Amino acid sequence: MKLSRSALVILGLLGMLGIAAVFGPIFSPYGVGELSDNRLAPPSAEHWLGTDLHGRDLMTRLMYGARISLLVGFVGASISLFIGVVYGLIAGYAGGRTDNRMMRLVDVLYALPRIVLVIVLISLFDLKLKSLLDGTFLAPFATHARLLLLFVGLGMVEWLTLARIVRAQVLTIKERPFVLSSRLIGQSTPVILFRQILPQVIPIVVTYLTLALPAVILEESFLSFLGLGVQAPLASWGTLLADGASMLNPIDTPWWLIVFPALALVSCLLLFNLLGDQLRRLGTDSER
Amino acid sequence: MIFRRGLPGLLGLLCIFSLAGCGSGPRADLVLCNGAEPQTLDPALVSGQLEGRICAALYEGLTRRDARGRSVPGAAESWTVSPDGRTYTFTLRENLRWSNGDPITAEDFCYSWLRALDPATGSPYAEIFYFIRGAEDYQAGRAPAESVEIAAPDARTLVVRLKNPVPFFPSLTSFTTYLPVHRATVAKHGDRWTRPEHWVGSGPYRLKGWRVNDRVALEKNPRYHGADRVRLSRIDALAVTRASTAFNLYSSGQADVLLDKGLIPSLIMPKLRGRPDFHPAPLFATYFYRFNVTRPPFDNPKVRRAFSLAIDKEAIVERITRGGEPIALSLTPRGVPGYRPPAGPVASPVTAKALLREAGYPNGQGFPRVSLLYNKSELNEQVAVEIQAQWKRELGVEVDLRNQEWATYLRSLDSLDFEIARSSWVGDYDDPLTFLDCFATGRGNNRTGWSDPKYDSLLDQAQADPAAASRLRKLEQAEEILVNQAMPILPLYHFVGCLMFDPKKWDGLMPNLLDEHPFSEIGARPPRLSK
Amino acid sequence: MLTFLIRRLLSSIPVVVAVLALCFLLVRIAPGSPFASERALDPRTKAMLEEKYGLSGSLPEQLLRYGFNVLRGDLGDSLKFRGRTVAEIIGQSLPRSLLLGSISFTLALGLGIPLGAWAAAHHGKKADSFLNSLALLTLSTPTFVLAPVSVLVFAFGLKLLPPAGWGTLSQLILPAICLAIPFIGVCARLTRSGLLETLGSDFIRTARAKGVSETNLVYLHALRPAILPLVAYAGPLAANILTGSLVIEEVFAIPGIGQFFVNGVINRDVFLVSGVVLVYCLLLLLFNLIADWLTALLDPRIRVAS
């Protein structure tokens, strides 16, 4: 698979982002939750991107936020990928009534506004998960229960589109000669599904992944705006942006609290979308 | 092509032209931002302040509040009290009328109060009547309505017998739940009686219109007995949820007055102080944290005291809330005449550390992981982040932040599923009892699991005491136990109310402790002639 | 045509029923009570209120009760806004969202399609990548950032428009634009990609060989088949835009229906949420139907096949 130059540039930029996310906080002189008396300070030599209401360094928090946002994006998109691909494979290959019923369920879930599902999921399991984990060895992770829920919740809402796309692909692929011949020689269904069909579906899935990831990150930022995102002291770009946006007013806005998180979020999403574009072009080119 | 592109376009144009017809008419004399959409305008069902403000304009109780928040005669022109302080006899004014012309009688008050007490009505504030003999038993279903000791011997006289002497009872009758409703309207329309087309009321204003999430439109009630005092003929109360939106509306002149502190973004408060249109005033409300005293580690009073002493409350009000709030050393704010709230312990990190060591957790070692529960709101989170850092710094203790959305948060509070929880309380009437009564044993609003027989007995004694001064002393002693000895709660600061309006354009709006701003008192100043 | 419609309607009914039931159940199983407040609620009062609103008994009982009421045309009362019926609240709020939404929808299509077509016509040049990136930018910016920033810029900075409120024409402009912007990007991209694909097809090559100008190629010949993916997207788009957005309604103080999706769940106002979800569902089905019909209209291959 030969990637175009633009694709390489994008990947490079994303790579840099990843490195900043992983290593940046280690090199920062400030902690992510470290309060100081230097509050609401505009960008300066000590704090390159300024500080927030609690005196926390914005740059450090942005880099931590990158970790969380990217983590949420990847895991959420992967969960949706896993569920969507398996669902689509089964529905598409089974065909007939099973396919019909499975797609009906997708229709129903599509018609339910996702936010209803996510809010209920989070509030329902927030209590239960914490008490579940409290007694076990996973107790230290109890505080991150919300994060876990976000992964699952966001993944749950994105798999629908992928399931439809995969199913549509499978419907055409399963009529292809190599699949038919596999059936003739008696290969079992799981083998056909995973050895023969799945590889054909992968290109479109990968493309979709690069588009689902920004969608999940954006969704998480909306949840943060509602107060249901990651809990303090963790911070994602979504929470940083939501906090910053709440500070907008006509008299005296700390502009750095909204400009930098917005730039970070938007550029990351832009890069992923552009990458998806490049991959999709690759796909159609190779098809020709 | 044109068909498909054009159709939405055509639709759009049609809608735009039809919009011209659905405007809201000429602007009201006064447009104010009241807060979120009122949940109800039935005074028996109201539990929020913003609904209370509108109800104070739509209905009038035996007494009412003036612009300074003082209690003045309302529907009752005078009253007498028996020597033992337990029986009040109110005399209604002559010729009182409902907005539809029906006469208002003492029987209307009996009916309305019993209706609010009726368990079938489901009033959230039924207990505000419990000062009346027989009220609590009726509400609990143990006795019939007749056993509630209120009577209307004639059309203009209302007699009430109380369990204990309650010096503030007359001013209490201006409280929203005590407001009268029109019997025939309620009987005829049931739940829908507050709709503008059915509504009937007795207050200075009539309900002209009420559009959901938009505004409540009020117009002057010509049948109100004090109608010549009422200066504005049309008032619109807008429903706005976000502080930034409300402030934007005010800044651009679309709203004339902001009535609620929650409608001003806290970030810019320091910048607003000093502006002539910014009017702060202390409120009869407190922001505090509750401890769950039924489980470790907060079942140990030393731990609770340590946590209280470790906090720098000044930092919170200076950096987070920014409204010039006074820090709270007691639960009851200052301002009740004759009442001196006891001072709780002053911040002292050194003592706090020592106490924690005594409790068995030197430098926070071995301290179990606890969480601080709050409901989702910026301010709550900001305060929590600061306090979390303070506890970490001074005591070496890790406290997790636990933010839940409203319904879940209330559930957790009620089921005592928390270690520390954020709370606030607004006084219902100007007496310390409204705060202190919450923490008596077994009260629904207690929500800490704390119980102290000495505290309960002090409260009972105070309520039975007819002499005002000794009564207040007993309440002070009770509060001393609450905030200085047992400390099941941690008061942080007292709320400050802020009004925003241009004093050159409006008068009759005065900041006061109970945050009462009766619409009937507001008037527009005549525009000054420019020189 | 009629049979197609009837068959569609019949097959949609189970979907609507399933969505409504799912929504009801979800809101009921979420922890917390719709009647709770900061003041503790007496358990007797709570039980009485639940009885009054038909929320006592087991969950299946509650669902069935609600279901029968809906069939009789009674959508229930709001639990938070006492004394108001769900039908009344929706009746007051929906027209406002519809008005705002139709303006946004017109903007989204009216700006998105020409921009996408223009980008496709200049494919490979700087203008194309610029427009593509701009489109991606619009759909990467969260509304809760875009809306307040535009208020600051246009209402306070340039003082051109009012910052919030409902009732006059000028108060509609900013919210309509903010609501439309993310969708303009999507529409532009869908148009562009659809066109690019069509422009490579045989019949275009034939037309080009015949000497038809590039502009005509793009706008007259290729647009019709290329627009199909956008038409498919326009169904859900219409349903989403017409039911509004919480952010837009809160920032601009618009008394629409979008806020009930979120606030209704937070308040556990089960009948109100179910009611607005029903509206959303019906709009979705309606516009998907229209989109499918338009697809059949525009794509001769489908017409021939059916």
Side-chain angles (χ1 to χ4, degrees):
Chain A
M1 214 169 48
K2 194 156 172 299
L3 295 167
S4 71
R5 211 175 54 152
S6 340
L8 285 170
V9 167
I10 297 174
L11 276 174
L13 285 169
L14 283 173
M16 279 182 2
L17 178 65
I19 292 177
V22 172
F23 294 105
I26 303 178
F27 289 111
S28 159
Y30 301 105
V32 68
E34 185 183 315
L35 277 66
S36 78
D37 281 331
N38 192 0
R39 293 162 188 254
L40 289 177
S44 63
E46 294 102 36
H47 296 277
W48 292 0
L49 298 182
T51 62
D52 69 1
L53 183 68
H54 300 285
R56 298 181 290 204
D57 178 51
L58 185 62
M59 183 148 195
T60 315
R61 282 173 70 75
L62 264 183
M63 291 191 287
Y64 266 99
R67 287 186 185 178
I68 301 288
S69 287
L70 289 174
L71 188 65
V72 170
F74 270 116
V75 176
S78 305
I79 292 182
S80 73
L81 186 149
F82 183 72
I83 303 179
V85 166
V86 171
Y87 200 90
L89 276 176
I90 297 176
Y93 193 71
R97 275 230 272 180
T98 323
D99 174 33
N100 241 340
R101 285 207 208 106
M102 288 180 84
M103 282 303 124
R104 261 334 171 72
L105 180 62
V106 171
D107 284 340
V108 168
L109 290 175
Y110 234 109
L112 183 72
R114 310 192 301 206
I115 194 70
V116 174
L117 185 60
V118 176
I119 294 181
V120 173
L121 195 77
I122 290 184
S123 54
L124 186 61
F125 288 104
D126 217 358
L127 296 175
K128 300 233 166 98
L129 203 59
K130 182 162 191 298
S131 50
L132 253 174
L133 290 177
D134 260 339
T136 68
F137 68 98
L138 288 168
F141 293 103
T143 51
H144 300 311
R146 172 67 64 82
L147 198 59
L148 205 71
L149 277 173
L150 276 176
F151 292 155
V152 175
L154 292 171
M156 292 294 263
V157 297
E158 286 297 323
W159 69 267
L160 296 169
T161 331
L162 188 59
R164 279 201 179 154
I165 294 175
V166 169
R167 169 193 171 265
Q169 283 278 79
V170 170
L171 283 177
T172 44
I173 294 174
K174 76 175 182 185
E175 306 301 331
R176 294 231 190 112
F178 71 96
V179 178
L180 293 171
S181 49
S182 294
R183 282 227 288 261
L184 277 173
I185 63 176
Q187 281 196 316
S188 67
T189 316
V191 170
I192 299 182
L193 271 178
F194 293 106
R195 290 260 188 86
Q196 309 264 10
I197 300 185
L198 184 58
Q200 299 288 323
V201 169
I202 283 188
I204 200 169
V205 166
V206 171
T207 310
Y208 177 77
L209 193 63
T210 58
L211 299 173
L213 201 140
V216 171
I217 295 183
L218 207 55
E219 190 87 18
E220 188 270 324
S221 76
F222 179 62
L223 286 177
S224 298
F225 171 74
L226 293 179
L228 295 169
V230 294
Q231 298 252 43
L234 288 179
S236 69
W237 283 340
T239 52
L240 291 173
L241 196 52
D243 288 344
S246 66
M247 299 213 186
L248 287 165
N249 63 79
I251 294 189
D252 183 27
T253 305
W255 58 270
W256 55 98
L257 289 180
I258 188 169
V259 166
F260 296 123
L263 275 178
L265 182 72
V266 169
S267 358
C268 174
L269 299 186
L270 202 62
L271 284 174
F272 274 108
N273 277 314
L274 283 172
L275 183 65
D277 270 2
Q278 292 293 327
L279 289 177
R280 210 174 9 191
R281 201 177 326 158
L282 218 91
T284 47
D285 281 344
S286 66
E287 242 170 70
R288 293 220 195 91
Chain B
M1 257 353 266
I2 303 172
F3 158 79
R4 200 183 49 75
R5 283 262 296 283
L7 184 58
L10 199 64
L11 210 66
L13 281 168
L14 271 169
C15 291
I16 293 177
F17 287 130
S18 72
L19 180 62
C22 69
S24 37
R27 196 184 190 277
D29 297 325
L30 173 66
V31 177
L32 50 88
C33 286
N34 194 33
E37 167 71 11
Q39 290 181 38
T40 174
L41 291 181
D42 181 340
L45 298 179
V46 164
S47 60
Q49 258 193 308
L50 68 94
E51 287 91 353
R53 277 195 282 263
I54 301 186
C55 284
L58 294 177
Y59 315 95
E60 192 184 50
L62 294 173
T63 56
R64 63 177 182 88
R65 302 266 175 195
D66 69 2
R68 286 186 214 282
R70 292 178 304 208
S71 177
V72 297
E77 65 182 6
S78 65
W79 53 89
T80 59
V81 55
S82 66
D84 68 348
R86 288 186 164 94
T87 307
Y88 280 86
T89 308
F90 294 90
T91 308
L92 298 183
R93 291 174 202 269
E94 276 183 48
N95 268 325
L96 286 175
R97 302 254 160 212
W98 291 101
S99 55
N100 67 350
D102 291 350
I104 305 178
T105 65
E107 187 57 44
D108 286 324
F109 282 88
C110 286
Y111 162 74
S112 307
W113 294 6
L114 287 175
R115 174 176 178 262
L117 271 172
D118 188 348
T121 310
S123 168
Y125 258 101
E127 58 193 47
I128 199 100
F129 288 101
Y130 287 3
F131 300 104
I132 303 178
R133 270 172 97 159
E136 189 165 0
D137 287 333
Y138 171 51
Q139 212 281 333
R142 293 192 286 264
E146 293 72 39
S147 67
V148 181
E149 301 205 19
I150 51 181
D154 61 66
R156 281 180 63 202
T157 313
L158 183 69
V159 183
V160 186
R161 281 182 62 81
L162 307 176
K163 281 198 297 214
N164 290 309
V166 180
F168 52 87
F169 187 74
S171 64
L172 189 62
T173 59
S174 63
F175 190 74
T176 317
T177 326
Y178 278 86
L179 296 175
V181 298
H182 189 240
R183 184 176 199 150
T185 310
V186 177
K188 183 164 171 202
H189 298 289
D191 279 345
R192 316 254 180 272
W193 76 268
T194 50
R195 281 190 153 145
E197 59 266 23
H198 302 142
W199 178 91
V200 171
S202 63
Y205 284 92
R206 277 206 305 228
L207 184 63
K208 176 168 188 275
W210 184 15
R211 297 210 294 255
V212 107
N213 274 320
D214 185 9
R215 69 194 66 207
V216 175
L218 302 171
E219 91 185 333
K220 184 165 155 167
N221 176 9
R223 293 213 162 90
Y224 176 60
H225 66 85
D228 41 356
R229 234 189 329 111
V230 178
R231 291 178 281 166
L232 298 171
S233 54
R234 277 267 300 114
I235 299 185
D236 273 352
L238 300 181
V240 183
T241 33
R242 319 200 104 229
S244 44
T245 310
F247 191 75
N248 289 346
L249 283 169
Y250 173 78
S251 302
S252 63
Q254 285 182 262
D256 302 309
V257 176
L258 294 182
L259 276 185
D260 197 314
K261 183 214 182 212
L263 294 176
I264 305 171
S266 56
L267 187 72
I268 50 172
M269 277 233 234
K271 291 258 151 63
L272 295 176
R273 268 187 265 171
R275 262 171 60 153
D277 61 345
F278 181 75
H279 308 266
L283 280 191
F284 206 51
T286 307
Y287 189 103
F288 61 97
Y289 280 172
R290 293 179 203 264
F291 291 112
N292 181 350
V293 310
T294 63
R295 337 201 258 241
F298 294 111
D299 53 351
N300 184 341
K302 286 209 172 105
V303 175
R304 302 199 292 264
R305 201 179 178 90
F307 270 62
S308 302
L309 291 176
I311 294 189
D312 178 4
K313 299 177 191 175
E314 298 282 358
I316 305 280
V317 300
E318 213 177 279
R319 294 165 177 171
I320 307 293
T321 58
R322 298 164 154 244
E325 286 86 355
I327 62 165
L329 292 169
S330 61
L331 179 61
T332 312
R334 291 181 176 279
V336 177
Y339 186 74
R340 292 185 303 266
V346 181
S348 166
V350 172
T351 321
K353 280 203 249 286
L355 277 167
L356 199 61
R357 194 176 315 123
E358 277 174 49
Y361 307 105
N363 281 325
Q365 280 165 20
F367 198 82
R369 218 170 163 108
V370 294
S371 62
L372 171 54
L373 174 71
Y374 56 97
N375 59 301
K376 155 238 152 185
S377 127
E378 260 157 66
L379 190 70
N380 291 342
E381 177 146 306
Q382 288 165 356
V383 173
V385 168
E386 281 294 320
I387 292 197
Q388 178 195 44
Q390 287 177 0
W391 278 332
K392 177 97 208 274
R393 192 177 61 222
E394 306 296 352
L395 300 175
V397 166
E398 290 280 355
V399 175
D400 296 326
L401 296 183
R402 209 170 137 211
N403 140 5
Q404 291 179 344
E405 35 109 35
W406 187 237
T408 320
Y409 156 79
L410 288 175
R411 239 283 291 271
S412 303
L413 268 189
D414 279 332
S415 54
L416 287 180
D417 181 16
F418 63 91
E419 286 91 37
I420 316 171
R422 164 258 148 208
S423 275
S424 60
W425 190 258
V426 180
D428 297 323
Y429 45 87
D430 41 0
D431 188 88
L433 195 61
T434 177
F435 283 91
L436 301 178
D437 195 47
C438 296
F439 295 100
T441 304
R443 289 271 189 274
N445 290 310
N446 186 325
R447 285 169 168 159
T448 57
W450 181 67
S451 162
D452 185 337
K454 186 140 181 283
Y455 181 81
D456 295 341
S457 101
L458 274 170
L459 286 186
D460 287 337
Q461 287 172 39
Q463 289 190 72
D465 191 336
S470 55
R471 177 178 176 277
L472 288 177
R473 291 297 86 69
K474 295 214 174 69
L475 289 177
E476 283 167 15
Q477 287 170 30
E479 188 158 7
E480 169 76 21
I481 300 179
L482 185 69
V483 297
N484 224 341
Q485 293 168 23
M487 300 173 85
I489 57 166
L490 171 55
L492 286 175
Y493 61 87
H494 300 301
F495 284 91
V496 157
C498 299
L499 300 176
M500 293 220 62
F501 65 92
D502 184 352
K504 294 203 287 289
K505 287 207 197 127
W506 307 99
D507 67 31
L509 278 165
M510 291 174 217
N512 57 69
L513 195 68
L514 283 175
D515 204 22
E516 297 277 352
H517 307 291
F519 295 169
S520 55
E521 303 281 320
I522 309 178
R525 286 196 205 277
R528 292 224 191 96
L529 296 167
S530 47
K531 300 219 159 77
Chain C
M1 184 61 210
L2 198 63
T3 42
F4 166 70
L5 261 173
I6 294 181
R7 238 183 321 141
R8 262 304 263 278
L9 276 167
L10 283 177
S11 64
S12 307
I13 293 179
V15 175
V16 177
V17 171
V19 173
L20 212 53
L22 189 61
C23 186
F24 184 89
L25 289 172
L26 276 175
V27 180
R28 287 304 289 154
I29 64 176
S33 162
F35 307 114
S37 70
E38 186 116 40
R39 295 182 68 82
L41 189 67
D42 187 24
R44 268 177 304 121
T45 313
K46 180 165 171 228
M48 194 265 324
L49 285 169
E50 289 183 345
E51 179 79 40
K52 175 176 172 182
Y53 286 104
L55 293 175
S56 53
S58 69
L59 210 49
E61 275 173 33
Q62 298 173 29
L63 180 60
L64 280 172
R65 214 178 282 137
Y66 176 63
F68 281 134
N69 284 336
V70 173
L71 284 175
R72 284 183 310 151
D74 174 16
L75 287 174
D77 292 339
S78 167
L79 303 175
K80 171 110 169 145
F81 304 112
R82 304 283 195 84
R84 289 194 184 271
T85 61
V86 171
E88 173 191 347
I89 295 178
I90 295 183
Q92 281 187 10
S93 314
L94 185 60
R96 301 168 190 157
S97 289
L98 286 178
L99 178 56
L100 189 65
S102 13
I103 300 179
S104 297
F105 186 72
T106 314
L107 274 173
L109 288 179
L111 283 178
I113 297 178
L115 283 174
W118 194 68
H122 296 96
H123 178 55
K125 304 196 202 117
K126 285 236 172 70
D128 176 29
S129 15
F130 170 69
L131 266 172
N132 191 29
S133 305
L134 193 65
L136 282 176
L137 193 72
T138 62
L139 56 92
S140 305
T141 314
T143 324
F144 64 84
V145 172
L146 189 63
V149 168
S150 60
V151 167
L152 277 188
V153 170
F154 291 100
F156 293 107
L158 300 173
K159 295 204 189 346
L160 283 174
L161 295 165
W166 176 265
T168 68
L169 189 57
S170 56
Q171 284 169 322
L172 271 181
I173 298 179
L174 212 45
I177 295 179
C178 285
L179 188 57
I181 282 187
F183 302 113
I184 298 179
V186 179
C187 291
R189 275 167 60 77
L190 278 172
T191 313
R192 174 183 170 276
S193 63
L195 267 175
L196 287 178
E197 197 147 324
T198 317
L199 283 173
S201 61
D202 288 336
F203 82 100
I204 291 293
R205 249 182 273 149
T206 319
R208 196 177 281 132
K210 282 207 212 152
V212 180
S213 76
E214 202 64 29
T215 340
N216 275 355
L217 266 179
V218 170
Y219 291 107
L220 289 181
H221 291 81
L223 200 54
R224 214 166 110 153
I227 215 78
L228 291 173
L230 180 60
V231 171
Y233 174 71
L237 171 67
N240 278 315
I241 261 190
L242 290 176
T243 46
S245 137
L246 169 79
V247 175
I248 300 279
E249 289 179 14
E250 284 198 346
V251 172
F252 294 103
I254 299 205
I257 206 177
Q259 52 190 280
F260 296 128
F261 290 97
V262 177
N263 290 334
V265 181
I266 290 180
N267 293 326
R268 307 290 191 263
D269 198 346
V270 61
F271 301 121
L272 185 58
V273 180
S274 305
V276 297
V277 168
L278 178 65
V279 167
Y280 174 74
C281 200
L282 292 175
L283 282 174
L284 191 63
L285 289 170
L286 173 68
F287 285 103
N288 276 339
L289 189 72
I290 297 180
D292 285 347
W293 174 64
L294 276 172
T295 308
L297 208 69
L298 288 170
D299 190 347
R301 288 175 288 179
I302 298 185
R303 255 186 285 156
V304 168
S306 61

